Amino acid sequence: MPTKESERELRVGCLACASDLGFFPDLGRMGTIQPTDVETFHSHLDPTGGYRKCENYAAAGVCNWMVRAEDPIRLCQACRLNNVIPDLSIPENREKWARAEVAKRRLIYSLNRLALPVVPKTLDAVRGLSFDLKDDLPTERVLTGHMDGLITVNLAEADPLLREKLRLAFHEPYRTLLGHFRHEIGHGLTTCISPTRLRQPALSA
């Protein structure tokens, strides 16, 4: 489960009524959820629809997005984009993963608002999108970057103290996890979106 620090970024409960909360990517809204049965929920936002908590919400506590009950994939729109997640046998990685997922979901929310396609590489190997969220290993240094729609983020950037040290070292006005995701998706858009779509005024301004 997320720590108190990550819960300040990951809202999973209503402060007024104590109901569980979920974000509905198909509706673009956050709302309270009420259990229909053991794993299915309903919401006032869509009284006729049934939803499940994302598997990373229900089991790992690092997500708060919902999935349509009839969807065979148990991960939400954002979490199913993951190609690699951190080694969770390392205790501190769960907290850093939770922070990285908050930033990634904010990115996906923005792409949805811009009506840009968010397609996993598992469905489209050429124009699909996927993420590697990895930490440095003794035998491998992880570089944040992109390649053909695969975006890699070094999990060390989820450590606020280390990130501030890097910001000062590089004389940057700011340095955020969300900024890394946005920077890399800016490169990746040329792969994930058709040239015709990129030339539309709203994207080229």
Side-chain angles (χ1 to χ4, degrees):
M1 295 298 292
T3 67
K4 288 183 178 180
E5 181 174 350
S6 66
E7 284 175 347
R8 290 198 291 268
E9 298 178 321
L10 176 64
R11 180 60 58 197
V12 295
C14 176
L15 298 178
C17 68
S19 296
D20 282 354
L21 292 174
F23 178 76
F24 300 81
D26 55 332
L27 305 176
R29 296 179 65 187
M30 176 81 79
T32 58
I33 55 176
Q34 303 296 332
T36 303
D37 53 40
V38 175
E39 66 171 21
T40 307
F41 296 81
H42 62 275
S43 172
H44 67 284
L45 296 176
D46 185 3
T48 62
Y51 289 85
R52 295 191 311 268
K53 290 181 177 180
C54 171
E55 186 71 11
N56 284 340
Y57 184 168
V62 298
C63 184
N64 60 358
W65 282 23
M66 305 298 291
V67 183
R68 283 279 183 181
E70 63 271 18
D71 194 326
I73 301 177
R74 303 189 68 84
L75 295 172
C76 71
Q77 180 195 22
C79 288
R80 67 185 60 180
L81 299 174
N82 288 340
N83 181 54
V84 173
I85 65 170
D87 180 359
L88 299 182
S89 67
I90 302 173
E92 59 268 25
N93 276 359
R94 183 174 293 274
E95 175 65 23
K96 292 191 287 185
W97 181 36
R99 292 173 180 163
E101 290 292 349
V102 168
K104 179 162 68 70
R105 286 193 303 276
R106 289 174 178 168
L107 170 71
I108 302 306
Y109 171 80
S110 298
L111 296 179
N112 288 341
R113 288 291 303 271
L114 292 169
L116 295 175
V118 180
V119 180
K121 273 195 172 297
T122 52
L123 297 180
D124 187 339
V126 177
R127 295 196 179 277
L129 181 66
S130 65
F131 292 87
D132 282 357
L133 307 177
K134 304 194 296 185
D135 214 349
D136 287 332
L137 298 173
T139 57
E140 178 188 10
R141 182 188 176 196
V142 176
L143 298 178
T144 295
H146 70 95
M147 179 176 291
D148 298 329
L150 173 61
I151 293 175
T152 301
V153 174
N154 189 321
L155 206 63
E157 293 288 347
D159 181 338
L161 294 179
L162 177 59
R163 194 169 62 247
E164 179 63 10
K165 289 180 180 179
L166 292 173
R167 184 190 72 80
L168 294 173
F170 291 118
H171 307 287
E172 296 171 333
Y174 60 88
R175 187 183 184 96
T176 67
L177 262 175
L178 180 56
H180 282 299
F181 279 107
R182 285 175 170 168
H183 177 90
E184 300 306 334
I185 197 65
H187 294 293
L189 286 178
T190 57
T191 298
C192 299
I193 303 177
S194 69
T196 301
R197 181 78 173 89
L198 281 174
R199 285 195 294 269
Q200 293 186 10
L203 299 180
S204 58

